[in-house]
Amino acid sequence: MQDYNQLLLIWLYFQTVVAWAKAIFTDYTKFMKGLDWGILYNKYHNNTYDPVKFASEVKRLIADKDVTKNSGIYEYLLSGDEKFLQIRAFDDDQKMEAYVRQNGICPKCGEHFEFDEMQGDHITPWSKCGKTISENCQMLCADCNRRKSNA
Ligand SMILES: [Zn+2]
């Protein structure tokens, strides 16, 4: 009976996890496959979410070319943490274009730096609809970039 009860508990837990996931994310996508929904359930099931908003957010994020990890969309929506989306970084061409435009000057501290001492930064953050395009790239020195990310 012990084994049977244990199996029953696991089955009930599994049903709970699936019911929770289906209630929050009403539209199934292939990116939901392979995620550890048990872990997501354990971490986030006490929060309240809006499934209608999530349905439109999932569509918008899948279409966003700067989101490089579509399977991270779900934990991003549950946690609000952008790191799960692996937002596209600026490539070297975009960074060099910004570097030349700024004459190698960091716009935050006004100091001059070599190209490889600087880092590409979104002028308008991705979260405020800023795209990963040259026009939205500025080069910051490592110190200023760290300060900006921690702000
Ligand atoms: Zn600086």
Side-chain angles (χ1 to χ4, degrees), residues 90-138:
F90 291 106
D91 64 29
D92 280 349
D93 283 351
Q94 294 170 321
K95 291 197 283 192
M96 185 50 86
E97 200 181 310
Y99 183 79
V100 169
R101 194 198 308 137
Q102 297 168 209
N103 298 315
I105 310 278
C106 171
K108 297 275 178 207
C109 62
E111 300 288 324
H112 181 273
F113 293 89
E114 296 304 320
F115 177 73
D116 56 13
E117 296 172 321
M118 303 186 89
Q119 295 160 354
D121 172 64
H122 288 75
I123 299 170
T124 304
W126 175 84
S127 57
K128 303 216 164 67
C129 298
K131 297 285 164 206
T132 308
I133 51 174
S134 304
E135 292 78 3
N136 193 33
C137 179
Q138 66 182 352

